[in-house]
């Protein structure tokens, strides 16, 4: 049952529990956790092999937070509970509705949670949502009353008897927590971390492999929470005031595709003198539809862009010189996270070196590599289903279908599980050739400041001055440490040496004096972190509990600390 036309008997008096799946996550277990698939977006699939230089951070379950903020029923949210924590919550408290959100690899955890709810809360209505609902046989796997596929706010409002078309209340949340790099925890001080901004869900571009597009209706479909630039600007001002931030991580698959809204937002930012920084997702063609002046004016500071692969035929890349686009963006201080696919239909063992070299040649600030994976619900999955090339769950468990291990189908050219070696080779080669992503983003930061430090617009000057501030001190120290780390690597040491000299030239004697002592501290921290990683150290998110009564949400004290280390130093702001 995917659509519910009834209302819960208690309406908005119903007591609601929303939960993500239980941890730990970075270990192999019977429920679907995998060491290779930790609860860390960057370390999982972007900076995977960068060791101590890998960006480590966690992201809240934003979909659950959106639902919690937009229902009038009393609601508790558990994010990243352990199994014991989840059992304690449903054993010691009574709930009328319990909702669970998950991705397909965690379907085993959803099944276990449903079993526990039936045991401890037999009268509760169980609702399962998130990407796991794309799995065609989900009803045969989990004992849930309702499967909520797609946008959950309207579903819950309808189920609770609320006005499903009421304005969306945006949660006041930071984009991430537990940030760590070079063995050092980044302080979580107010304003240091970007706020989360969610203008819409879904993507109208609808690439054949995109599970997000499939979840929200497929090609041509999306749900806008804020239709106009005025609405969006008002929400951003509210977030700015309450969280004391000036940067936003925009969780929208293709934010700039809505031209009228984006350009109106630009007008209001200019009118009110807002010097905000925006971290966005965008396709190449959409980026090219804006002038660089407009992108910089909007505060576009970081962009996640699909490059897909050499000779890929996606419409979003048609007639776009993506290499030139990446270089142009970086020359204006816009950091680029490029995303490439390993295992497209035309990929063969004999051309894999060329394919990987092509991706590495972009020299993006970050680079994601993912296996070409048919996820249930996508056109790519249906294609393989019709062709009879999909592997059954018995042949290849859903827990391993996360794009960083093996194909869940029989590839025409790549056989004998060679794809695992190819994707690791791609990560390693990018790291060996282009160096740590930390150094790359510092280089792009510096290019932006050098270009715009004397810009006629005070608004533009202020943003670049604010963003570059940590580069004068701790980031310069990080480059000093990386230069020392690569003492035996002539090519990489040369890159770090050149960057460090550029920093000294740009910021003068203060940076030249402070970089070495900070750098020595960071160098020893890197060595210590590498030893920890060699011993198998893993990183887990904190357990978080958020209580809401009426329209007010408050964080309870964190129930359990993640595996943090004590040392802290201000490295800079995290996205």
């Amino acid at each position: 049952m995917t659509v519910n036309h009834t209302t819960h008997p208690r309406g908005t008096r119903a007591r609601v529990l929303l939960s993500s799946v239980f941890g730990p996550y970075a270990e192999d277990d019977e429920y679907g956790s995998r060491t290779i698939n930790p609860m860390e977006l960057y370390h999982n699939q972007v900076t995977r092999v960068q060791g101590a230089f890998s960006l480590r951070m966690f992201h809240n379950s934003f979909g659950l937070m959106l639902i919690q903020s937009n229902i009038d029923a009393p609601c508790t949210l558990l994010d990243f509970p352990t199994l014991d924590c989840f059992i304690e919550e449903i054993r010691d408290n009574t709930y009328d509705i319990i909702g669970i959100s998950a991705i397909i690899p965690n379907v085993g955890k959803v099944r276990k949670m449903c079993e526990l709810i039936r045991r401890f809360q037999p009268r509760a209505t169980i609702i399962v949502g998130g990407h796991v609902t794309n799995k065609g046989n989900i009803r045969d796997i989990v004992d849930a009353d309702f499967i909520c596929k797609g946008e959950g706010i309207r579903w819950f409002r309808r189920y609770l008897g609320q006005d499903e078309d009421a304005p969306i209340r945006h949660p006041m949340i930071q984009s991430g927590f537990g940030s760590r790099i070079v063995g050092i925890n980044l302080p979580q001080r107010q304003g240091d971390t970007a706020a989360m901004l969610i203008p819409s869900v879904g993507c109208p571009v609808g690439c054949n492999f995109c599970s997000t597009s499939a979840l929200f209706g497929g090609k041509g479909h999306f749900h806008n929470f804020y239709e106009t630039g005025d609405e969006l600007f008002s929400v951003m001002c509210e977030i700015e005031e309450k969280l004391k931030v000036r940067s936003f991580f925009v969780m929208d698959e293709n934010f700039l595709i809505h031209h009228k809204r984006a350009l109106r937002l630009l007008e209001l930012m200019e009118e009110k003198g807002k010097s905000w920084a925006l971290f966005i997702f965008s396709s190449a063609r959409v980026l090219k539809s804006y002038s660089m002046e407009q992108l910089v004016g909007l505060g576009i500071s970081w962009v996640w862009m699909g490059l897909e692969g050499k000779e890929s035929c996606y419409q979003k890349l048609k007639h776009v010189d993506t290499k030139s686009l990446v270089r142009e963006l970086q020359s204006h201080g816009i950091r680029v996270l490029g995303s490439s696919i390993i295992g497209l239909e035309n990929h063969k063992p004999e051309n894999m070196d060329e394919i990987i070299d092509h991706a590495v040649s972009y020299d993006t600030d970050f680079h994601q590599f993912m296996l070409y994976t048919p996820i249930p619900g996508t056109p790519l999955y249906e294609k393989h289903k019709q062709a009879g090339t999909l592997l059954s769950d018995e042949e290849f468990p859903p827990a391993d279908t996360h794009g960083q291990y093996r194909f869940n189908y029989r590839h025409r050219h790549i056989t004998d599980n060679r794809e695992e070696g190819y994707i690791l080779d791609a990560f390693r080669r990018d790291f060996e050739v282009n160096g740590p992503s930390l150094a790359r983003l510092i280089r792009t930061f510096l290019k932006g400041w050098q270009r715009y430090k004397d810009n006629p617009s005070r608004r533009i000057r202020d943003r670049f001055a604010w963003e570059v501030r940590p580069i004068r001190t701790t980031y310069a120290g990080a480059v000093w440490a990386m230069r020392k780390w690569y003492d035996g690597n002539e090519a990489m040491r040369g890159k770090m040496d050149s960057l460090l000299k550029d920093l000294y030239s740009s910021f003068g004697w203060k940076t030249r004096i402070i970089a070495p002592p900070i750098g020595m501290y960071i160098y020893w921290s890197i060595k210590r972190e590498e030893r920890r990683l060699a011993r198998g150290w893993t990183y887990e998110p904190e357990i978080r509990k958020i209580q809401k009564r009426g329209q007010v949400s408050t964080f309870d004290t964190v129930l359990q600390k993640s595996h943090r280390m004590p040392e802290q130093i201000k490295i800079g702001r995290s996205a």
Side-chain angles (χ1 to χ4, degrees):
M1 183 173 185
T2 57
V3 179
N4 175 47
H5 296 288
T6 63
T7 302
H8 191 278
R10 290 179 58 83
T12 55
R13 293 181 295 112
R15 290 158 297 188
V16 180
L17 172 66
L18 301 175
S19 181
S20 61
V21 295
F22 60 85
Y25 308 97
E27 65 177 45
D28 298 324
D29 69 14
E30 62 183 298
Y31 303 113
S33 283
R34 295 291 185 266
T35 303
I36 197 177
N37 190 33
M39 190 63 77
E40 300 177 69
L41 175 60
Y42 292 99
H43 186 65
N44 182 324
Q45 52 193 251
V46 180
T47 55
R48 178 176 166 182
V49 303
Q50 295 192 23
F53 299 109
S54 181
L55 176 57
R56 315 295 297 266
M57 68 186 305
F58 306 104
H59 297 85
N60 299 294
S61 296
F62 305 121
L64 293 180
M65 290 181 165
L66 266 172
I67 293 171
Q68 184 188 44
S69 296
N70 284 279
I71 59 176
D72 294 336
C75 180
T76 297
L77 194 159
L78 276 182
D79 219 359
F80 313 117
T82 60
L83 183 57
D84 288 343
C85 173
F86 181 74
I87 291 173
E88 180 181 341
E89 186 66 33
I90 60 175
R91 184 193 62 206
D92 298 346
N93 302 279
T94 301
Y95 292 102
D96 301 298
I97 300 168
I98 301 178
I100 306 167
S101 179
I103 58 174
I104 290 176
N106 288 323
V107 67
K109 294 192 174 188
V110 178
R111 178 172 55 208
K112 178 64 176 179
M113 293 170 81
C114 289
E115 292 171 358
L116 290 168
I117 294 167
R118 293 302 186 206
R119 176 184 171 188
F120 291 104
Q121 301 265 357
R123 296 183 179 180
T125 299
I126 301 176
I127 302 168
V128 170
H131 286 274
V132 72
T133 62
N134 270 336
K135 192 164 176 57
N137 61 340
I138 183 67
R139 296 170 193 79
D140 300 325
I141 300 174
V142 303
D143 181 15
D145 296 292
F146 298 111
I147 303 298
C148 174
K149 182 175 180 178
E151 197 271 285
I153 297 174
R154 294 170 65 90
W155 196 101
F156 265 87
R157 282 177 167 177
R158 184 164 59 246
Y159 188 50
L160 295 171
Q162 294 179 224
D163 177 8
E164 60 188 79
D165 296 317
I168 298 296
R169 296 190 290 263
H170 201 290
M172 300 289 130
I173 48 177
Q174 293 180 327
S175 60
F177 65 94
S179 301
R180 180 180 179 85
I181 196 167
V182 294
I184 297 169
N185 296 316
L186 276 63
Q188 296 292 292
R189 294 185 297 199
Q190 191 174 51
D192 278 350
T193 302
M196 180 54 61
L197 177 68
I198 311 173
S200 71
V201 291
C203 181
V205 175
C207 294
N208 67 335
F209 58 83
C210 182
S211 59
T212 301
S213 178
L215 181 64
F216 295 101
K219 188 177 180 68
H221 296 276
F222 59 93
H223 298 273
N224 262 346
F225 295 139
Y226 305 103
E227 294 286 347
T228 68
D230 293 83
E231 291 176 310
L232 197 57
F233 182 79
S234 176
V235 168
M236 293 171 75
C237 287
E238 182 184 8
I239 295 173
E240 176 190 43
E241 173 62 26
K242 290 185 177 179
L243 297 184
K244 308 302 179 187
V245 297
R246 57 188 297 180
S247 58
F248 299 85
F249 192 106
V250 186
M251 183 59 71
D252 187 305
E253 290 291 317
N254 214 333
F255 173 65
L256 295 175
I257 202 169
H258 307 287
H259 279 76
K260 185 176 180 181
R261 184 179 68 185
L263 293 179
R264 176 57 179 159
L265 176 63
L266 174 58
E267 288 180 5
L268 291 167
M269 287 174 64
E270 290 175 336
E271 180 183 323
K272 302 298 182 180
K274 294 297 184 182
S275 188
W276 291 332
L278 274 61
F279 311 111
I280 68 166
F281 298 81
S282 181
S283 59
R285 287 188 68 189
V286 169
L287 279 169
K288 287 292 290 182
S289 67
Y290 290 81
S291 69
M292 200 55 59
E293 182 181 8
Q294 289 171 328
L295 294 176
V296 172
L298 273 165
I300 305 303
S301 183
W302 181 98
V303 60
W304 189 314
M305 178 171 60
L307 304 172
E308 313 317 358
K310 188 175 184 181
E311 298 177 1
S312 60
C313 300
Y314 291 101
Q315 190 69 22
K316 64 184 181 182
L317 299 170
K318 195 173 182 180
H319 305 310
V320 178
D321 182 344
T322 46
K323 281 194 178 180
S324 294
L325 177 59
V326 168
R327 297 289 180 271
E328 184 180 16
L329 291 168
Q330 291 175 323
S331 73
H332 289 267
I334 300 174
R335 283 87 72 202
V336 179
L337 193 162
S339 179
S340 293
I341 297 172
I342 300 295
L344 290 169
E345 287 94 340
N346 62 335
H347 288 186
K348 303 175 183 178
E350 53 265 34
N351 64 7
M352 193 55 66
D353 280 340
E354 182 183 357
I355 288 162
I356 293 174
D357 286 343
H358 175 77
V360 170
S361 69
Y362 277 97
D363 194 13
T364 52
D365 301 273
F366 294 88
H367 209 125
Q368 177 195 44
F369 292 97
M370 293 288 285
L371 293 177
Y372 198 41
T373 304
I375 302 297
T378 64
L380 182 62
Y381 184 88
E382 290 304 313
K383 178 182 176 180
H384 280 281
K385 184 177 180 181
Q386 294 298 319
T389 52
L390 291 171
L391 300 177
S392 67
D393 287 356
E394 290 69 33
E395 293 174 283
F396 196 77
D400 292 317
T401 310
H402 48 70
Q404 288 292 314
Y405 177 44
R406 301 264 180 83
F407 293 136
N408 61 337
Y409 63 101
R410 290 183 291 277
H411 194 283
R412 184 185 306 174
H413 306 294
I414 301 172
T415 59
D416 302 324
N417 302 324
R418 282 178 286 182
E419 65 273 20
E420 183 180 9
Y422 293 145
I423 196 164
L424 281 171
D425 190 30
F427 279 113
R428 290 187 186 119
R429 217 179 300 180
D430 179 61
F431 184 41
E432 290 167 1
V433 172
N434 296 319
S437 287
L438 177 59
R440 299 183 230 174
L441 72 86
I442 291 171
R443 177 191 62 196
T444 303
F445 262 129
L446 186 60
K447 286 180 181 178
W449 179 79
Q450 289 171 336
R451 186 164 196 150
Y452 289 100
K453 60 185 175 70
D454 297 318
N455 190 267
S457 168
R458 179 179 177 180
R459 192 175 67 89
I460 303 299
R461 292 197 310 273
D462 284 354
R463 175 169 72 84
F464 281 94
W466 166 69
E467 287 192 313
V468 84
R469 194 173 300 140
I471 295 180
R472 297 173 179 269
T473 53
T474 47
Y475 273 146
V479 176
W480 189 98
M482 285 185 276
R483 179 179 179 272
K484 183 172 178 59
W485 179 260
Y486 284 109
D487 227 1
N489 184 327
E490 185 177 345
M492 198 57 62
R493 180 181 170 86
K495 282 191 174 187
M496 299 304 133
D497 192 48
S498 176
L499 178 56
L500 188 61
K501 288 177 179 177
D502 206 357
L503 290 169
Y504 288 165
S505 174
S506 297
F507 302 124
W509 64 269
K510 289 185 179 179
T511 297
R512 189 180 294 271
I513 289 174
I514 202 169
I518 292 176
M520 184 56 73
Y521 176 87
I522 294 175
Y523 172 73
W524 286 110
S525 178
I526 292 169
K527 294 189 72 171
R528 189 167 54 243
E529 186 80 346
E530 288 287 343
R531 289 195 296 269
R532 290 187 186 119
L533 294 171
R535 292 194 299 265
W537 179 78
T538 59
Y539 199 32
E540 297 284 346
E542 299 166 338
I543 303 170
R544 295 188 161 202
K545 184 175 179 178
I546 309 172
Q547 301 274 16
K548 183 186 78 69
R549 296 173 179 83
Q551 296 182 12
V552 179
S553 299
T554 57
F555 274 103
D556 277 10
T557 302
V558 173
L559 301 181
Q560 176 178 304
K561 292 292 184 181
S562 61
H563 301 177
R564 286 191 173 189
M565 300 299 161
E567 67 278 1
Q568 289 195 344
I569 189 171
K570 183 174 173 57
I571 294 291
R573 301 166 186 86
S574 55

